[in-house]
Amino acid sequence: MLISFDLENWRSFRDKSAFNLTASREKQHSDRLPHFEKYDLRLLPTAAIYGGNASGKSNFFSAFQFAQKIITEGVRVNAAIPVLPFRLDIQSMKNPTYFRFVIAVPKEDNNSTQDECYEYSFAVSYSDVIEEELIQIKPSIEKSLFKRVKGKNTTFDDSIKRDENLYNILNSTRNNQLFLTNAASQNIARYKTNQLIRVYRWFERLTLVGTDMRVSTQLLWDWQQKDGLRLMGDVLESLGTGVTSLDFVDVSPEVSPFPTGIIETLLESSQNGSSVLAHQNKQRYLIRRNDDSYEIKQLVSGHKDIKSKSIVRFDLRNESDGTVRVMDLLPCFLLAMKNNGVFVIDELDHSIHTLLISELLRCYLSSCSPHSRSQIIFTTHDVMQMDQSLLRRDELWVTGRKNDGSTELIPFSSYKGIRKDKSIRTSYLRGQLGGVPRLHLSNVIEQ
């Protein structure tokens, strides 16, 4: 789970902004808060981030994208780091971009009572990793496993120094590469300690869904696992989409929408028997490697014939944008209900009716408990979800654009006088909480 996330000098976030998912003392909906007894820590299972257009919500989401990509994929030798600092002042363009994650990582045996907390931070410029540190957080003490600062000697904890293979690999890390990335790219079976790999896997398993992104193959389930598709079909039917089933059908390589070269590129980093998800013109395809060959399957929806009740198959180009968006989001919610993972979604309300979003959130939150270990974090414009019967005050955030063009991130819980019997929605729309558009269009038109 995500405990907190800090970012600085990333796109519109010029100044340091802190996003904290530690629950406050608020008693509302306290029965659904995940509880880490060893740390006496309660976390929020969800967070909604509001704000006007161009206020920085999608920049917040893109920070997760960048961090995950540079950690799990890294950059090539001598390549520039694709960092995007604040561009509206010269000094910020010269300063490094900084990220700090505090996370709860489960033990490899998935025993939720054995979660351990880590703090991982790094600062990067276009050419170099400026700083990087991994801290193991124990209930009574914090221990730095390594600390790297450009131009200074790197410090290592004794547990890493004793792990000769890991120690040597970390010392061979390139200037434009993170220790975490380099460690995970090697033969991890030879390491005596798995702390770095566990933190790396947290980022690898982090699921991000944007408005122009499709969920990973893992979340669509493998096409062999029919129970997952059957469940999604049942849910889509219950939501009134007209879809009653989902299935994957074979596509002949001769009529594949993808040239062979593109398929080989998609599969080059995948293992034998694994699949990748590809999309084109609203369609979804699973491409699966089998030794030296591959097979392609297309996701199709099923509707009932009004007379015979037999299944009529539709390709996804015949479904509405909202229905396809629900298909992309459903695996996130279903897996979150099964206590599996952290999901960050940009514009949850994109193409989806507000009542449908409410239903998805209510179903997910009703599944949460002190033993839960999942989170759904989302940006949205949908003020109908700004309801204290659904969300706690500390689960609501707002982004605002300051006069200098930079973004500030503010929790609603920091505002005084917001009682649990007060309409947060009304206060927000009146501009009392910030994060609403500055509406001067009529003045411009009259001129």
Side-chain angles (χ1 to χ4, degrees), residues 250-299:
D250 293 318
V251 175
S252 170
E254 287 74 24
V255 295
S256 165
F258 304 101
T260 302
I262 291 180
I263 292 177
E264 290 301 323
T265 300
L266 289 170
L267 292 174
E268 66 181 5
S269 61
S270 64
Q271 298 178 349
N272 187 47
S274 63
S275 305
V276 296
L277 179 69
H279 59 91
Q280 187 178 67
N281 298 329
K282 210 173 174 179
Q283 302 279 51
R284 306 290 185 274
Y285 298 90
L286 276 182
I287 306 174
R288 185 181 182 90
R289 179 187 293 280
N290 290 321
D291 296 323
D292 295 329
S293 63
Y294 59 87
E295 57 184 337
I296 304 173
K297 290 183 176 286
Q298 178 184 348
L299 183 65

Side-chain angles (χ1 to χ4, degrees), residues 200-300:
Y200 173 88
R201 284 177 177 157
W202 187 93
F203 287 98
E204 190 177 46
R205 293 166 181 166
L206 174 67
T207 300
L208 308 176
V209 183
T211 57
D212 59 344
M213 299 166 59
R214 312 305 171 208
V215 295
S216 69
T217 309
Q218 295 172 330
L219 297 190
L220 271 176
W221 284 275
D222 191 274
W223 54 267
Q224 294 177 336
Q225 299 178 0
K226 298 296 183 181
D227 288 343
L229 290 174
R230 187 179 300 115
L231 176 59
M232 286 183 64
D234 291 344
V235 174
L236 286 166
E237 183 175 19
S238 72
L239 293 174
T241 62
V243 176
T244 59
S245 63
L246 291 175
D247 202 358
F248 281 106
V249 296
D250 293 318
V251 175
S252 170
E254 287 74 24
V255 295
S256 165
F258 304 101
T260 302
I262 291 180
I263 292 177
E264 290 301 323
T265 300
L266 289 170
L267 292 174
E268 66 181 5
S269 61
S270 64
Q271 298 178 349
N272 187 47
S274 63
S275 305
V276 296
L277 179 69
H279 59 91
Q280 187 178 67
N281 298 329
K282 210 173 174 179
Q283 302 279 51
R284 306 290 185 274
Y285 298 90
L286 276 182
I287 306 174
R288 185 181 182 90
R289 179 187 293 280
N290 290 321
D291 296 323
D292 295 329
S293 63
Y294 59 87
E295 57 184 337
I296 304 173
K297 290 183 176 286
Q298 178 184 348
L299 183 65
V300 296

Side-chain angles (χ1 to χ4, degrees), residues 83-95:
V83 68
L84 296 172
F86 184 73
R87 296 181 60 189
L88 300 183
D89 85 72
I90 295 175
Q91 187 57 48
S92 294
M93 290 290 291
K94 298 176 182 178
N95 292 339

Side-chain angles (χ1 to χ4, degrees), residues 351-370:
S351 298
I352 302 180
H353 194 281
T354 183
L355 294 180
L356 198 156
I357 295 171
S358 295
E359 183 67 11
L360 288 173
L361 287 172
R362 288 187 189 281
C363 287
Y364 162 64
L365 291 172
S366 67
S367 73
C368 296
S369 73

Side-chain angles (χ1 to χ4, degrees), residues 39-207:
Y39 293 90
D40 191 22
L41 176 68
R42 287 177 170 81
L43 297 181
L44 300 171
T46 191
I49 303 161
Y50 287 86
N53 295 104
S55 64
K57 298 186 305 300
S58 291
N59 290 342
F60 179 80
F61 175 80
S62 71
F64 283 91
Q65 288 180 299
F66 172 80
Q68 183 185 54
K69 188 176 181 66
I70 193 175
I71 291 169
T72 60
E73 298 180 20
V75 296
R76 295 181 179 178
V77 178
N78 298 324
I81 299 173
V83 68
L84 296 172
F86 184 73
R87 296 181 60 189
L88 300 183
D89 85 72
I90 295 175
Q91 187 57 48
S92 294
M93 290 290 291
K94 298 176 182 178
N95 292 339
T97 295
Y98 173 81
F99 298 102
R100 172 181 171 270
F101 294 85
V102 181
I103 58 178
V105 180
K107 285 284 192 181
E108 292 301 314
D109 60 4
N110 292 320
N111 184 345
S112 62
T113 63
Q114 297 298 316
D115 300 272
E116 289 187 346
C117 296
Y118 292 88
E119 176 186 320
Y120 178 64
S121 61
F122 63 91
V124 292
S125 68
Y126 293 108
S127 57
D128 298 295
V129 175
I130 308 301
E131 298 179 13
E132 184 183 9
E133 184 173 20
L134 179 61
I135 298 173
Q136 182 180 17
I137 303 173
K138 296 186 177 182
S140 58
I141 193 173
E142 295 184 359
K143 180 172 66 172
S144 178
L145 298 178
F146 66 77
K147 184 174 184 179
R148 168 191 187 186
V149 179
K150 181 182 178 182
K152 297 183 179 180
N153 292 329
T154 300
T155 59
F156 294 98
D157 180 69
D158 288 342
S159 61
I160 292 182
K161 289 180 180 179
R162 289 192 296 267
D163 192 338
E164 185 176 350
N165 289 316
L166 178 59
Y167 182 67
N168 290 336
I169 285 170
L170 295 183
N171 275 314
S172 66
T173 302
R174 303 191 311 266
N175 290 339
N176 67 344
Q177 185 181 38
L178 295 169
F179 276 6
L180 213 58
T181 311
N182 193 24
S185 68
Q186 308 296 325
N187 184 1
I188 64 176
R190 299 174 62 189
Y191 300 158
K192 297 177 182 177
T193 176
N194 68 348
Q195 293 161 317
L196 273 70
I197 303 306
R198 290 175 57 205
V199 173
Y200 173 88
R201 284 177 177 157
W202 187 93
F203 287 98
E204 190 177 46
R205 293 166 181 166
L206 174 67
T207 300

